[in-house]
Amino acid sequence: MTDVVTAPNLDKPDEFYARLLAAHEGLSKAESDAFNARLILLMANRIGDLNELDALMEAAKRK
């Protein structure tokens, strides 16, 4: 199984979060949900490894 990095790993996490919020501005709930789904699929495609994606989904389920 792939090790999942859960420690902060973004160069500028606050900047990323601000940009993510800005990308949602003006979207309805349905549009925002669709945006999130498309973004997740693009990121999954970028990662490309099914084992890595499985590990990330399991990590995301944990609280």
Side-chain angles (χ1 to χ4, degrees):
M1 179 167 270
T2 305
D3 291 332
V4 175
V5 176
T6 57
N9 194 37
L10 291 170
D11 290 337
K12 298 177 183 178
D14 292 337
E15 179 65 23
F16 170 73
Y17 187 67
R19 290 178 186 197
L20 183 59
L21 289 179
H24 285 269
E25 285 182 16
L27 298 180
S28 68
K29 171 73 167 118
E31 291 168 332
S32 181
D33 290 347
F35 172 86
N36 282 335
R38 289 190 304 272
L39 182 59
I40 289 167
L41 291 173
L42 287 168
M43 290 178 169
N45 188 60
R46 171 77 176 177
I47 292 166
D49 181 85
L50 188 55
N51 291 328
E52 178 75 15
L53 295 168
D54 284 341
L56 292 169
M57 287 188 287
E58 285 301 316
K61 286 181 184 179
R62 289 185 234 130
K63 294 182 180 182

